[in-house]
Each structure stands twice: as C-alpha cells, then as structure tokens.
Amino acid sequence: MDPIKATIPVRVRYGETDQMGIVHHIHYLNYFEVARTELLRQCGFSYKKIEEVGFLLVVTEAYCKYLKPAHYDDDLQIEIWISLLSAVRIQFQYQLLREKEILARGSTLLACLSKKHVPTAIPDWMKEPLLSYYWKEESHSSKKGSPAKKLESS
C-alpha cells in the first residue's frame, strides 16, 4: 500500500529563478516548507496554533536531491507524506513534480520542543491527524518501487 500523500500546487515565480530562468536550488526547500505548512493545515492546525499552545516544531535536518530543473511559470505539484512519527520527531518526505515528471525528492526531520527548547512529546491532538499521512517504511520495505525506497536509493 502506497502512502497517503497530500499534493500541494505551486507556480514558479520570476523572483525564484536565475538569469537562465531556472529555479535557484534554495527555493526547493521553500517549496517543501509550503507543502509541510499546508499539510499541517489539512490536519486542522497551523504553526501559529502549535506555538500559541507552547510547542515548537523545528527542522533538524533537510535534504534535497535535484533531478531536473524547474523553470519560470511552471505549474508544479509537491507530494508530501510522513515516513517517521515518533514520540518527539516527524520526518516528512517530498516529491516535486511537473505533471508526472519528478524534478526533486527530499525530506525534512522536525523535532517537537517546548518553548524552553527542550525536546517534548508530540501532543496527541497533533499526532492523531498526522497518522493519516504516515507510511511506516519497514512494513513496506519489500515492496519494489516504494517512494521511500526510491528516495534512499537515489
């Protein structure tokens, strides 16, 4: 069974491109953040709400493998799902696509902290809706072509 993914649309803006009309590499991580923020909204909360109730979600790792360039005015889709959901950490996986063509793959690892910057358990009201986007890699590791395996082997 493939992961349940959220798909977030984004259009490449002129200011995100270099002189050749190609998206500058740093913007791929920005696109990943857009997808992550929208996935949280689809789960019923935002970073603002998380912070208002005393929690922080901080990025501790970020990775992007660039496969093909995106260009000015491209309509892109960012697929996002969760590959790790532990007591304190969440790992998001991403695929950036133009139509069905994969342009980049990536991941971010986030930790849940208290306002005093101490690792703390992800509260149930946050964890429960995130579970619908969780895909436990080990239970599907024998499946050829799974998105997480593709990311690891790329």
Side-chain angles (χ1 to χ4, degrees), residues 43-114:
C43 287
F45 48 87
S46 65
Y47 277 114
K48 183 177 180 178
K49 179 181 177 184
I50 293 166
E51 292 171 4
E52 284 174 349
V53 296
F55 298 95
L56 303 169
L57 286 180
V58 298
V59 175
T60 60
E61 293 179 14
Y63 170 79
C64 184
K65 180 163 182 89
Y66 306 97
L67 304 171
K68 296 182 179 182
H71 299 90
Y72 170 65
D73 211 33
D74 279 352
D75 280 318
L76 306 176
Q77 300 80 41
I78 311 154
E79 292 181 341
I80 179 173
W81 66 97
I82 295 170
S83 61
L84 172 75
L85 189 55
S86 72
V88 177
R89 298 180 302 151
I90 309 168
Q91 184 167 38
F92 294 92
Q93 300 289 337
Y94 311 90
Q95 288 190 137
L96 183 67
L97 301 106
R98 180 180 44 233
E99 297 180 17
K100 294 185 186 282
E101 181 180 34
I102 299 172
L103 305 181
R105 291 188 177 106
S107 63
T108 54
L109 183 65
L110 283 74
C112 185
L113 304 179
S114 69

Side-chain angles (χ1 to χ4, degrees), residues 83-84 134-143 148-149 152:
S83 61
L84 172 75
Y134 175 54
W135 185 58
K136 191 171 181 181
E137 216 173 307
E138 306 83 64
S139 64
H140 302 283
S141 61
S142 64
K143 183 176 180 186
K149 287 296 171 190
E152 289 173 3

Side-chain angles (χ1 to χ4, degrees), residues 2-13:
D2 285 336
I4 296 172
K5 301 175 186 174
T7 302
I8 311 300
V10 66
R11 181 183 296 270
V12 175
R13 297 171 295 205

